[in-house]
Amino acid sequence: MTLGAALADVHVALRVLAVTLVLTPVMTDLLLPWITRRLEWWLHGRPWRQRRAS
């Protein structure tokens, strides 16, 4: 979305490579730890009522 205009004329394989190289670290370092903390109660099999306040 932010690089769409800049990468519009680049070959599709290079666009996919660029997007993958940017999004993989963002997902693994920023979003997945945040999501894991929010869903910790579910990942450990505890009922909704026994979840800890986050």
Side-chain angles (χ1 to χ4, degrees):
M1 192 148 95
T2 57
L3 295 175
L7 296 176
D9 296 331
V10 178
H11 188 269
V12 67
L14 293 176
R15 278 192 307 226
V16 170
L17 178 64
V19 170
T20 301
L21 289 175
V22 170
L23 289 182
T24 299
V26 169
M27 287 295 293
T28 57
D29 295 334
L30 298 176
L31 293 178
L32 286 177
W34 182 82
I35 292 169
T36 302
R37 282 192 306 272
R38 297 296 182 266
L39 294 177
E40 182 264 340
W41 62 273
W42 180 70
L43 292 170
H44 290 283
R46 290 194 308 267
W48 171 258
R49 292 183 180 119
Q50 292 180 1
R51 69 182 177 93
R52 287 185 285 182
S54 298

